[in-house]
Amino acid sequence: MHKNSGKKENILRNSAFQTIIASLLCIVLGLFVGYIVLLIINPAGAGEAIVAIMKNFLYYPSAAAATKYLGTTLVKASALLMCSLSVLFAYKVGLFNIGAAGQYVVGVGACLYFALRFNMPWYVCLIAAIVTAALVGGISGALKAYFNVNEVISCIMLNWIGLYSVNMLLSQVKEQSTPYTKALASANKSALLPNLGLDQIFSKNEFVPLGLPLAVVMALAVWVLLEKTKFGYELKATGMNKQAAKYCGMREKRNIILTMMIAGGLAGFGAGIFYLTGIEQWMVQQTAVPAMGFNGIAAAFLGGLNPIGTVFSSYFIQHITSGGTYVDKTMYCTQISDLISAFIIYLCGFVLFFRLWLNRFLDKRDEKSGRNGQKGGKA
Amino acid sequence: MLLLIQYTLIFASVLVLVALGGCFSEHSGVVNIGLEGIMVIGALGGALMMKYVPAGLAAPVVILLVILSSVLIGMLFSLLLGVAAIRFKADQTLVGTALNLLGPAAAVVLVRAINTAESVDNVSSTVAYGTAKKAFIVNIGRFEFNWFMVIALLLLAVSYIVLYKTRFGLRLCACGEHPQAADSVGINVYKMRYAGVLISGALGGLGGLVYITAGVSEWKFENGVAGFGFLALAVMIFGQWRPVNIGLAALLFGLFRALSNVYTGFDALVALKLPSTIYNMLPYIISLIVLVFVSGKSRAPKAEGIPYDKGQR
């Protein structure tokens, strides 16, 4: 019976294929809603604006400029990828790491402080970022493991605590006249990530460094860790059923803490590879946690909670976020991209239902064709 | 000192309202992480109403109109969570987070669109509502009395009665504890959960309105509500999902939040020479510590966060 059913059905039943379809649907619907919002605000330029968001760096007519800004988008996307890996890793273990944003902030604080205060080389700064962010993640994990504190709430509290602490810390290494931290290029060149000639590919965009390939390697590493190792299996088992994991002799408390530490470390790594390029300086009067960590949630779910999928979804989210800066500002504001990505996250909530519905639909069709087949056989 | 009491009361009112919202939603079985976003959208509804309300109206009418618009818009926005979580069985944490991102983004886009439409050079995300706001405030000596304080207290009492003394409230709680059992005696679990989410939307929206009118006469929507939705969730957990305890918890949290506004007025605190950032962090640090002590023996509704599936046993 099953051998007879066509190839098309097999591919529709494939869970990876379903995920990709669902993600693409989310993207299309998200962009569509964005377009509707633009239409409501001002019908005159809506078409142009949504095209600008989707074109992003292609906005520049010259190929050299376009590749340069492709580089910038990629650098931001690699930081976003790390944040989304952080969210994904925790989610696979049954924890919702909304604290990626705060861990990212703490990572920024640590790497810039080590770079500007202690004049450390880049690898030390990067390690500092990872370790500090991992510790902050570990706090949430420990609170969850030992005191049953909901990790979402403790993460949010730590986001704010982290933001204020980092502002306080980095005030010591800021420029005299501006609220921004000192530029790495002038204050401590050794802290800049080496770019291995990658800048040549992207029209001498000196901000494109080592971080880019490293982020992709990390995505692969996370996939291997989760899918191919005993440790990853234990973590996932703990996430699915804490009691059962304990019964099987796994140390469930240690696993929860380690998960949050790894998640934090990933976010901190993202902070390091972004801020150690010198592409941006930290503004010490910031009153909101940077969107990077929250967009990471969007990217993680849009990527179907698959590390390889998030490579693409992170790029997409960053692509439209950067694209938002090219809309006609006399009519619209750049936050329209945030609205679109927020809506995409919302739609991701429906993915499970979509797959259920699709499978039920396929079952019905199979049943029907099966009945027809039997009839045919009799006749 | 008077200022401290005033700020404590107003911040406590915000926290009470929003935490009660969370309480209703969770008692019905839906975790509402999206309160932060609901607050922003509700605040936006109120702010726009205050901006556009005709100047000549009597104070009670203004109050009623503004509150109604906040409440209705908050409810409408919370439906996004309701539909996804109840009808489509979506992950409630994920959808709540989406609401938190959606709220501020939508508010900024909308406010900027309005501001730019008024004048092309105006790219701020601020809504000014100075004149209409005065309707809410009565000065008693130097104490700036705000009608919201009374409203919060009233709603606290009403919530207590509704949750524990009415058929509706007890049924609501049943849906959060054991929805299958509730269904077996003829309670429509889906309806009850929608009711819980809608109430949380109404209270969350109102809380957002109170937040933006506390102290300031205009609001920049880029700032959102600075984690108040989450503080309210901490208040709710600290209050162990019971209205009266929530009220007391809100007072405590309100006090710490108010300290960051007015600590300069106390010689003893200024003498400590702590940077002001410490006071900004204080509410969050306190809530973490409090959570450590109360989360162990949690009295959370048993079935919260689990989508109700009729076919499941």
Side-chain angles (χ1 to χ4, degrees):
Chain A
M1 210 352 263
H2 270 282
K3 269 183 192 168
N4 291 341
S5 48
K7 261 186 187 170
K8 207 178 169 192
E9 268 170 28
N10 284 337
I11 196 167
L12 273 176
R13 281 204 184 273
N14 183 308
S15 109
F17 184 76
Q18 284 182 350
T19 309
I20 292 172
I21 290 283
S23 295
L24 288 177
L25 261 178
C26 288
I27 290 176
V28 170
L29 280 173
L31 287 172
F32 182 70
V33 168
Y35 179 62
I36 300 281
V37 172
L38 288 170
L39 271 182
I40 294 170
I41 295 174
N42 191 340
E48 223 170 285
I50 198 87
V51 170
I53 290 173
M54 284 193 281
K55 271 169 92 177
N56 184 13
F57 53 84
L58 295 174
Y59 173 84
Y60 296 98
S62 96
T67 30
K68 183 165 181 182
Y69 283 93
L70 167 65
T72 309
T73 306
L74 281 175
V75 172
K76 289 185 180 165
S78 57
L80 180 60
L81 172 60
M82 295 315 299
C83 286
S84 81
L85 284 175
S86 161
V87 175
L88 176 142
F89 190 82
Y91 195 83
K92 285 272 180 184
V93 191
L95 297 164
F96 199 86
N97 183 20
I98 201 170
Q103 291 144 14
Y104 177 80
V105 168
V106 173
V108 174
C111 71
L112 287 184
Y113 196 71
F114 269 72
L116 297 171
R117 191 61 190 261
F118 304 128
N119 286 319
M120 289 290 175
W122 62 272
Y123 45 88
V124 178
C125 301
L126 192 56
I127 290 170
I130 295 171
V131 170
T132 334
L135 283 178
V136 172
I139 295 177
S140 294
L143 290 178
K144 170 88 179 177
Y146 289 105
F147 301 104
N148 192 27
V149 177
N150 185 324
E151 80 278 5
V152 174
I153 300 194
S154 71
C155 278
I156 290 285
M157 300 300 157
L158 283 169
N159 281 352
W160 290 99
I161 297 172
L163 176 71
Y164 285 124
S165 321
V166 165
N167 278 346
M168 204 156 61
L169 187 71
L170 291 185
S171 306
Q172 298 174 17
V173 290
K174 76 179 183 70
E175 305 256 16
Q176 289 276 305
S177 52
T178 66
Y180 289 93
T181 51
K182 287 179 203 155
L184 283 179
S186 53
N188 178 10
K189 264 213 149 91
S190 68
L192 286 174
L193 285 173
N195 46 29
L196 303 175
L198 278 172
D199 52 338
Q200 295 303 327
I201 305 173
F202 295 103
S203 323
K204 301 211 170 119
N205 185 340
E206 72 274 25
F207 300 124
V208 182
L210 182 64
L212 206 59
L214 273 184
V216 179
V217 169
M218 281 307 229
L220 287 171
V222 166
W223 181 77
V224 171
L225 177 65
L226 278 172
E227 305 297 335
K228 301 287 166 203
T229 66
K230 183 180 154 219
F231 179 59
Y233 184 82
E234 265 196 29
L235 290 186
K236 284 198 290 185
T238 312
M240 273 178 199
N241 191 336
K242 210 164 74 175
Q243 274 78 23
K246 189 180 176 185
Y247 183 72
C248 295
M250 299 173 190
R251 283 186 285 170
E252 89 289 2
K253 289 198 166 102
R254 186 203 66 159
N255 283 354
I256 289 176
I257 298 171
L258 270 181
T259 305
M260 284 309 282
M261 286 186 79
I262 293 173
L266 288 168
F269 184 83
I273 59 172
F274 186 60
Y275 275 86
L276 291 176
T277 59
I279 195 168
E280 226 172 69
Q281 291 141 284
W282 181 262
M283 213 271 277
V284 298
Q285 285 160 0
Q286 218 145 309
T287 52
V289 186
M292 201 61 98
F294 298 117
N295 281 341
I297 302 174
F301 281 92
L302 189 63
L305 291 170
N306 179 308
I308 312 302
T310 52
V311 175
F312 299 100
S313 61
S314 301
Y315 176 74
F316 173 77
I317 296 278
Q318 189 54 51
H319 185 88
I320 61 165
T321 307
S322 300
T325 51
Y326 298 116
V327 296
D328 185 351
K329 287 188 198 64
T330 57
M331 285 189 254
Y332 312 109
C333 64
T334 52
Q335 276 86 351
I336 188 78
S337 311
D338 296 344
L339 187 69
I340 294 176
S341 43
F343 201 76
I344 288 175
I345 308 186
Y346 178 70
L347 290 172
C348 286
F350 293 87
V351 167
L352 192 74
F353 189 84
F354 168 77
R355 290 174 63 163
L356 257 171
W357 174 83
L358 187 65
N359 283 332
R360 209 177 294 159
F361 172 76
L362 289 175
D363 284 346
K364 263 190 192 158
R365 209 175 61 174
D366 276 2
E367 215 173 274
K368 238 185 188 172
S369 66
R371 227 180 282 141
N372 288 345
Q374 274 171 3
K375 263 184 202 165
K378 270 176 193 170
Chain B
M1 195 64 204
L2 211 55
L3 211 56
L4 179 67
I5 296 175
Q6 180 191 319
Y7 274 111
T8 303
L9 284 180
I10 195 79
F11 284 129
S13 316
V14 179
L15 289 171
V16 155
L17 289 170
V18 183
L20 283 176
C23 177
F24 271 101
S25 171
E26 300 220 346
H27 271 305
S28 79
V30 181
V31 174
N32 194 346
I33 295 269
L35 279 168
E36 179 107 355
I38 293 175
M39 280 177 80
V40 175
I41 290 291
L44 177 71
L48 289 179
M49 185 55 106
M50 281 196 272
K51 186 179 173 181
Y52 290 118
V53 80
L57 280 179
V61 183
V62 174
I63 293 182
L64 204 67
L65 275 179
V66 171
I67 288 181
L68 262 184
S69 75
S70 269
V71 164
L72 284 180
I73 295 203
M75 284 168 86
L76 215 61
F77 193 64
S78 72
L79 259 189
L80 282 179
L81 169 71
V83 171
I86 302 166
R87 173 73 182 83
F88 292 99
K89 303 183 172 54
D91 183 324
Q92 294 168 7
T93 315
L94 174 64
V95 176
T97 308
L99 250 53
N100 285 336
L101 300 178
L102 209 54
V108 170
V109 167
L110 190 66
V111 172
R112 281 202 171 183
I114 291 171
N115 284 345
T116 330
E118 277 174 3
S119 101
V120 176
D121 302 322
N122 188 354
V123 290
S124 76
S125 55
T126 312
V127 179
Y129 42 78
T131 44
K133 190 199 149 198
K134 291 200 185 88
F136 289 95
I137 292 163
V138 181
N139 283 312
I140 306 174
R142 276 169 51 220
F143 185 75
E144 205 177 70
F145 178 77
N146 195 320
W147 280 113
F148 285 126
M149 298 170 190
V150 182
I151 293 172
L153 194 66
L154 266 179
L155 283 174
L156 179 64
V158 170
S159 302
Y160 177 80
I161 296 169
V162 167
L163 265 182
Y164 293 126
K165 306 288 175 199
T166 66
R167 190 196 301 202
F168 168 77
L170 293 170
R171 287 185 168 181
L172 192 79
C173 292
C175 292
E177 294 294 338
H178 200 313
Q180 283 81 6
D183 200 357
S184 74
V185 293
I187 300 171
N188 187 334
V189 177
Y190 297 116
K191 256 191 197 158
M192 280 295 168
R193 289 199 165 177
Y194 272 116
V197 171
L198 282 176
I199 294 174
S200 83
L203 290 170
L206 187 58
L209 173 66
V210 183
Y211 180 79
I212 62 157
T213 51
V216 290
S217 60
E218 55 171 37
W219 189 251
K220 212 174 153 200
F221 276 87
E222 253 162 17
N223 292 343
V225 292
F228 249 69
F230 291 101
L231 278 179
L233 285 177
V235 165
M236 178 190 75
I237 295 171
F238 188 35
Q240 296 286 297
W241 289 266
R242 292 194 199 112
V244 177
N245 300 18
I246 285 175
L248 297 174
L251 273 180
L252 179 76
F253 277 64
L255 174 69
F256 283 111
R257 180 62 184 74
L259 265 184
S260 72
N261 279 36
V262 296
Y263 77 96
T264 42
F266 293 87
D267 295 333
L269 291 178
V270 175
L272 287 175
K273 288 206 173 119
L274 292 171
S276 65
T277 327
I278 296 282
Y279 291 99
N280 286 332
M281 280 196 262
L282 209 54
Y284 308 107
I285 295 176
I286 298 284
S287 72
L288 261 190
I289 296 171
V290 159
L291 285 174
V292 165
F293 285 107
V294 298
S295 294
K297 46 177 196 317
S298 163
R299 296 181 145 274
K302 290 252 159 37
E304 68 168 11
I306 308 161
Y308 178 56
D309 184 352
K310 264 193 176 182
Q312 212 174 39
R313 278 156 191 271

